[in-house]
Amino acid sequence: MAVAVTADVLIDIEDVDDDEALLASWDELVPVLLDDEGQALCHYHLDVPAVYAYLARFPIKSTD
């Protein structure tokens, strides 16, 4: 959550055990962080540099 706050992004948290499709895909890899396309950014442990590298690919949006 600290990375999400620092980067000003929203994350959705889903319980893999509550969804059979997610469980089949990610069972032994949780926790897993997925991008918007469902590709794993990291699993087992939060890879902060990988997350920031992914976020750097997107332009900063102005609130103006």
Side-chain angles (χ1 to χ4, degrees):
M1 291 310 266
V3 173
V5 169
T6 301
D8 194 27
V9 295
L10 298 175
I11 59 172
D12 292 324
I13 299 173
E14 295 187 41
D15 188 344
V16 171
D17 293 327
D18 289 342
D19 184 313
E20 289 194 28
L22 291 176
L23 187 61
S25 296
W26 305 109
D27 183 31
E28 297 297 321
L29 298 175
V30 294
V32 62
L33 181 62
L34 306 177
D35 65 14
D36 285 345
E37 297 175 359
Q39 299 299 311
L41 295 176
C42 52
H43 52 82
Y44 300 127
H45 303 285
L46 180 63
D47 184 343
V48 174
V51 173
Y52 281 122
Y54 170 77
L55 293 173
R57 298 179 8 208
F58 302 94
I60 297 172
K61 296 178 183 177
S62 174
T63 57
D64 295 337

